[in-house]
Amino acid sequence: MNKDEERLTVVNVVASTRVAEELDLPDIAIQLNCEYEPEQFPGVVYRVTDPKLAILMFRSGRAVCTGGKDEQNIHTGIDRMIKDLRKAGITTWDLKDVEIEVQNMVATYALHYPEDYDGTALRDTLDMKMGTPLAGLPRKLNLNNLTFHLPFDKVEYEPEQFPGLIYRLDHPKVVCLIFGSGKMVITGARHKDEILEAVQIIQDELADLL
Amino acid sequence: MNKDEERLTVVNVVASTRVAEELDLPDIAIQLNCEYEPEQFPGVVYRVTDPKLAILMFRSGRAVCTGGKDEQNIHTGIDRMIKDLRKAGITTWDLKDVEIEVQNMVATYALHYPEDYDGTALRDTLDMKMGTPLAGLPRKLNLNNLTFHLPFDKVEYEPEQFPGLIYRLDHPKVVCLIFGSGKMVITGARHKDEILEAVQIIQDELADLL
DNA sequence: TCCGCTTATAAACCCCTATTTAAAGAACAC
DNA sequence: GTGTTCTTTAAATAGGGGTTTATAAGCGGA
């Protein structure tokens, strides 16, 4: 595992699937004791404790699983839900016919100075005194500068509305929320590879500002 | 029945009539258990279940029937309403004196490529692979192109406000809502002939874009 | 004299509702 | 000062509401 992967944490995986031809939601809500307020939202909310997940089930037999840390979590949750449905006498598809598609992954990444960076702290700060070598340490950012350095039409930064700078990449097609602390949130990816690609691209663009 | 008539569906017929010299609306609302909120709207709403219709009755004895799929539906509804009024002891005109005038017809039409069209799909799409002969298949439209092809002063197209292109014909005097899917809504006609005429005119104008 | 009210109806878009999750600010409450 | 709660982003799912057009009736308001 390289530095990028170490500093990257997938915090949420969302996937969609179909577990039955159709589902009787009012019945399921009662049988499995799930949240169901049809006038507020058409789906039933089925919750799994460990891993902590929330699965939304719909009348069409389709379902959306959120909260996973990886794809394995999602499978575990869906399998458990199907077993629960069957125990309650509800007809579902065979497990082998249930296909799961990851639709979104959210990750956080903490920016650091390159290991071979030769710059030093320009002045004393709360956690570092002037002259400390910065190589390998967490890197803070000046978002106002960044706004001008990145492609204008891909960036949105309105600190009064939201503290993060919003950066939309075309390839991979993901969105990054970049914060002054040097931490960022990457979302919209369907595979972890896309997240790592995005991180690499941003690191390269930020290298110019060192 | 030709192709145009097969692809055309009349979804709503509105007609006006007069069933009495005058009507005591508060009394009718109670006797026939109808909706009546005079401070909100001056008419009583009389509903028929099958066919599903809504008839508005006014103090003047006039009435408006909406929701019919054809003129026969309208007659059925009016007849039933008059019988109901009489059963409740309310005086109405003789059925023979009740004249019904269709005031508006709404229809949908699904555009298709001509049966003798020799074009083929230009590229792969969700439902068709490149090269498939298009003759007789549903035809999608590029409304932006259409905007420039049809008479400027008869067209309105503001996709951010409404997804359909609004095309006002003078003869027949109807309005067509044309959608990117190739489906359209024709309204404002008093006879089915006018709807078929309008469809033919539009097909001719669209032939230029093939 | 217009305007809105109300009724029905299709087309296909928008937005809202709900679920998850991190980041870092502001705004409240206690 | 510690809490919640809100802001933003992505994605699937799916109901509900709104948008537009035509048309009659008749009552209230500028």
Side-chain angles (χ1 to χ4, degrees):
Chain A
M1 190 191 268
N2 63 37
K3 276 272 156 46
D4 274 358
E5 285 185 82
E6 274 173 43
R7 288 165 183 165
L8 188 74
T9 306
V10 174
V11 297
N12 185 26
V13 175
V14 177
S16 62
T17 187
R18 186 166 185 182
V19 301
E21 207 52 36
E22 58 177 321
L23 291 171
D24 180 348
L25 301 189
D27 179 39
I28 290 174
I30 295 168
Q31 299 274 333
L32 305 191
N33 189 34
C34 297
E35 306 159 42
Y36 180 46
E37 291 184 50
E39 71 294 321
Q40 191 180 121
F41 187 69
V44 149
V45 183
Y46 174 92
R47 289 172 190 284
V48 174
T49 303
D50 183 30
K52 182 177 170 293
L53 305 169
I55 305 177
L56 308 177
M57 301 173 63
F58 301 90
R59 196 177 48 83
S60 65
R62 291 177 191 283
V64 173
C65 182
T66 68
K69 295 303 179 210
D70 53 41
E71 208 169 331
Q72 184 49 248
N73 280 178
I74 303 288
H75 273 86
T76 302
I78 296 290
D79 288 0
R80 225 177 278 176
M81 179 186 77
I82 290 178
K83 285 196 185 71
D84 255 17
L85 288 172
R86 294 196 180 164
K87 264 191 286 184
I90 292 152
T91 303
T92 73
W93 284 357
D94 265 15
L95 217 56
K96 65 168 175 52
D97 296 320
V98 175
E99 289 177 6
I100 295 174
E101 253 188 301
V102 170
Q103 300 289 355
N104 187 30
M105 293 185 81
V106 183
T108 59
Y109 181 83
L111 194 66
H112 287 68
Y113 285 100
E115 294 299 324
D116 58 359
Y117 183 56
D118 58 9
T120 56
L122 298 176
R123 54 188 172 76
D124 284 13
T125 58
L126 297 173
D127 51 303
M128 199 186 301
K129 61 173 193 283
M130 185 174 69
T132 305
L134 294 170
L137 296 180
R139 175 180 175 191
K140 295 199 190 329
L141 297 169
N142 177 322
L143 300 183
N144 287 307
N145 284 352
L146 196 47
T147 297
F148 294 108
H149 189 73
L150 296 173
F152 181 75
D153 60 323
K154 303 274 180 275
V155 169
E156 280 178 64
Y157 179 46
E158 291 179 50
E160 312 223 332
Q161 199 192 4
F162 186 67
L165 178 156
I166 301 164
Y167 183 25
R168 291 161 198 282
L169 302 204
D170 287 323
H171 309 287
K173 199 187 144 292
V174 302
V175 174
C176 297
L177 308 180
I178 304 175
F179 299 86
S181 64
K183 290 187 182 173
M184 35 194 277
V185 171
I186 305 92
T187 184
R190 296 179 106 97
H191 305 282
K192 197 171 173 185
D193 294 347
E194 295 173 349
I195 298 176
L196 286 167
E197 261 185 83
V199 164
Q200 195 49 62
I201 289 171
I202 292 174
Q203 303 251 43
D204 290 345
E205 288 177 306
L206 290 176
D208 306 342
L209 291 175
L210 283 171
Chain B
M1 191 191 266
N2 64 35
K3 276 271 157 49
D4 273 358
E5 286 185 79
E6 273 173 44
R7 288 165 182 164
L8 188 75
T9 306
V10 173
V11 296
N12 185 26
V13 175
V14 177
S16 62
T17 186
R18 186 166 186 182
V19 301
E21 208 51 35
E22 59 175 324
L23 292 170
D24 179 347
L25 301 189
D27 179 39
I28 290 175
I30 295 169
Q31 300 274 332
L32 306 191
N33 189 34
C34 297
E35 306 159 43
Y36 179 47
E37 292 183 51
E39 70 294 323
Q40 188 182 114
F41 188 68
V44 150
V45 183
Y46 174 91
R47 289 172 190 282
V48 174
T49 303
D50 184 30
K52 183 177 170 295
L53 304 169
I55 305 177
L56 309 177
M57 302 171 63
F58 301 90
R59 196 182 48 84
S60 63
R62 293 178 188 281
V64 172
C65 181
T66 70
K69 295 302 180 212
D70 54 39
E71 208 168 332
Q72 182 50 246
N73 279 178
I74 303 289
H75 273 87
T76 301
I78 296 290
D79 288 1
R80 225 177 276 177
M81 179 185 76
I82 289 177
K83 284 195 183 72
D84 254 18
L85 289 171
R86 293 193 180 166
K87 264 192 285 185
I90 291 152
T91 303
T92 73
W93 283 357
D94 266 14
L95 218 55
K96 67 167 173 55
D97 296 321
V98 175
E99 289 178 5
I100 295 175
E101 254 190 300
V102 170
Q103 300 287 356
N104 185 30
M105 293 185 80
V106 182
T108 61
Y109 181 81
L111 193 65
H112 287 69
Y113 285 100
E115 292 301 323
D116 59 358
Y117 181 56
D118 58 10
T120 56
L122 298 178
R123 55 188 171 77
D124 284 14
T125 58
L126 296 174
D127 51 303
M128 199 186 302
K129 61 170 191 282
M130 186 175 68
T132 305
L134 294 171
L137 296 180
R139 176 182 175 190
K140 295 197 191 323
L141 298 170
N142 177 323
L143 300 184
N144 287 307
N145 285 351
L146 196 48
T147 297
F148 295 108
H149 189 75
L150 297 173
F152 182 74
D153 61 323
K154 303 273 179 276
V155 170
E156 279 178 65
Y157 179 46
E158 290 179 51
E160 311 225 333
Q161 198 194 2
F162 186 68
L165 179 156
I166 301 165
Y167 184 25
R168 291 162 197 282
L169 302 203
D170 287 324
H171 309 287
K173 197 185 145 294
V174 302
V175 173
C176 297
L177 308 181
I178 306 176
F179 300 87
S181 64
K183 290 187 182 174
M184 36 195 277
V185 171
I186 306 90
T187 184
R190 296 181 109 93
H191 305 281
K192 196 171 174 184
D193 293 347
E194 296 173 347
I195 299 175
L196 285 167
E197 260 186 84
V199 164
Q200 194 49 62
I201 289 171
I202 292 174
Q203 303 252 42
D204 290 346
E205 289 178 304
L206 290 177
D208 307 343
L209 291 176
L210 284 171

